[in-house]
Amino acid sequence: MWKLIFSKPFNNHLINTNKHNTYLLSCIIQSFSTCNALYAKKESPSSPSKKSTSPPNTIQATMSISAAPAGTVLQGINYLKDGTDPIALPDHEYPEWLWEILDEKKQNEWANDPTSRQFLRKIRRDKIRDANFDKDKNK
Amino acid sequence: MSSRSGALSSAATTIRILIPAGKATPTPPLGPALGQRGVKAIDFCKQFNDRTKKILPEVPIPTLIDVRSDRSFSFVIKNPPTTWFLKRAAGVEKGASKPGSEIVGKVTLKHVYEIAKIKQQQANMQHLSLRGIVKGVIATAKSAGIEVVN
């Protein structure tokens, strides 16, 4: 179930720390899992879980199983003398956007939403490109 | 990275070059490039090896060497190239000769995440979101013929 979030853009986006947002949209339709995770985290205090690292329900539902299970040594990443290759953490300890990033459909969803930041950005950039093209022709 | 040829010895120039960590002063690539601009190769190599002593030997380090008109120099060190990390993580010596139609190795999303974390420490990437960097690493993997798997 997704809900419309009436709020300032990206103040409630969990991971995005982009400093260049200046849009004042009154509602944002976020991707499903981010939206749900936000509400899941707000509701969790009422039902405390026994394990401190138990995964939120949404990640279990949307997560795909990683080829590198927790505890795998990620070889070849370390390049310092006194460092070691990092060890894979359990899947739910990685940010949620990571599991969707290979899904082409989800990554291109913004094209259907005319109020999304990427959509407006594309319009703006196309305008700039057209304006520059016109300027060149006049030369 | 090839070094740019300086026009005049008095002009301030920038040299972009890949140097194996802890092992500077090979005459062919580095020596002439520095010598042309009047920089003493030995001085540079001492400083470079000093700065890279915590890094595993032979790791390629992209460096930007700024040579000023009075023959003084300063240099910036970055972390190893993304393709180097990816090839190492996939256990592959060389990238694909025909990326797109050829796949040479596989890497998981967790590998990509860790590589992105290292890349984020670089000075020119610190303003980017980790998600953006991960996307970049995936694109680099695609151009090297390395498949990124869940």
Side-chain angles (χ1 to χ4, degrees), chain A residues 12-32:
Chain A
N12 56 354
H13 195 298
L14 298 174
I15 288 119
N16 191 348
T17 55
N18 193 322
K19 293 178 191 170
H20 300 294
N21 291 312
T22 52
Y23 300 107
L24 295 175
L25 301 175
S26 61
C27 72
I28 296 168
I29 304 171
Q30 297 275 5
S31 67
F32 295 171

Side-chain angles (χ1 to χ4, degrees), chain B residues 57-69:
Chain B
E58 303 267 345
V59 169
I61 303 282
T63 46
L64 281 177
I65 311 168
D66 223 349
V67 185
R68 274 156 260 145
S69 46

Side-chain angles (χ1 to χ4, degrees), chain A residues 68-128:
Chain A
T72 328
V73 175
L74 301 171
Q75 280 184 342
I77 311 275
N78 174 53
Y79 69 106
L80 298 172
K81 274 183 189 164
D82 50 358
T84 47
D85 286 330
I87 301 178
L89 301 168
D91 291 355
H92 62 263
E93 293 194 7
Y94 288 94
E96 295 169 56
W97 47 259
L98 186 66
W99 305 112
E100 295 170 1
I101 210 159
L102 289 178
D103 186 352
E104 287 215 7
K105 258 192 180 179
K106 283 198 178 154
Q107 293 302 313
N108 291 332
E109 257 174 8
W110 59 263
N112 302 328
D113 175 21
T115 60
S116 69
R117 176 177 65 131
Q118 289 96 325
F119 194 93
L120 295 171
R121 196 186 204 188
K122 184 174 198 315
I123 293 176
R124 182 187 58 194
R125 282 183 164 179
D126 287 344
K127 271 193 193 166
I128 294 172

Side-chain angles (χ1 to χ4, degrees), chain A residues 16-17 64-70 74-82 86 88-91 94-95 97-99 101-102 107, chain B residues 53-57 59 79-80 84-85 88-89 108-111 113-115 118 121 127 129-131 134-135 138 148-150:
Chain A
N16 191 348
T17 55
S64 45
I65 303 166
S66 169
L74 301 171
Q75 280 184 342
I77 311 275
N78 174 53
Y79 69 106
L80 298 172
K81 274 183 189 164
D82 50 358
L89 301 168
D91 291 355
Y94 288 94
W97 47 259
L98 186 66
W99 305 112
I101 210 159
L102 289 178
Q107 293 302 313
Chain B
K53 59 184 176 191
K54 288 198 175 169
I55 302 178
L56 287 171
V59 169
N79 21 18
W84 181 82
F85 277 116
R88 215 159 158 246
T108 65
L109 272 182
K110 292 187 181 178
H111 283 104
Y113 185 79
E114 294 295 332
I115 294 173
I118 294 177
Q121 294 162 12
H127 64 285
S129 67
L130 193 55
R131 179 167 177 262
V134 166
K135 275 181 142 188
I138 292 176
V148 179
V149 168
N150 255 323

